[in-house]
Amino acid sequence: MSGSDLRRTDTTERLERLGAVVRTGHSASNVPEDGHVVVVSSAVRPDNPEVVEAHRRKIPVIRAPRCWRS
C-alpha cells in the first residue's frame, strides 16, 4: 500500500510503521505503476495531480468511507 499527504503527521508515520509507503506532497508520479485503485478523502479535489493521473491511466478513484477517518 502506498499513499501521500501534504505533510507528515502522526497518522502518516503510523501508516509507515505498519508498512505503507507514504510520500509527502501530491504528484502524478506518486501513483504506482502497478496501482489498482486510488482512494481519496473528501478533501481531495478533482484536479489533484494523482487523481488526474489515475483517470488518465483508467485507474478507479473512490472516496474513502467516513468510518476510516479518525
Side-chain angles (χ1 to χ4, degrees):
M1 182 170 85
S2 66
S4 65
D5 206 339
L6 288 177
R7 63 187 177 286
R8 295 185 60 75
T9 65
D10 291 341
T11 301
T12 60
E13 290 174 8
R14 180 172 51 90
L15 290 168
E16 287 178 321
R17 286 192 302 273
L18 292 170
V21 175
V22 181
R23 294 174 179 85
T24 303
H26 296 294
S27 169
S29 65
N30 289 344
V31 180
E33 288 300 317
D34 60 349
H36 298 285
V37 65
V38 172
V39 181
V40 298
S41 77
S42 60
V44 176
R45 297 171 37 144
D47 62 349
N48 175 287
E50 294 167 29
V51 171
V52 171
E53 178 65 8
H55 287 303
R56 185 188 74 76
R57 291 175 30 201
K58 299 186 178 10
I59 297 172
V61 177
I62 62 172
R63 295 270 174 208
R66 294 184 71 80
C67 62
W68 283 9
R69 300 184 195 130
S70 55

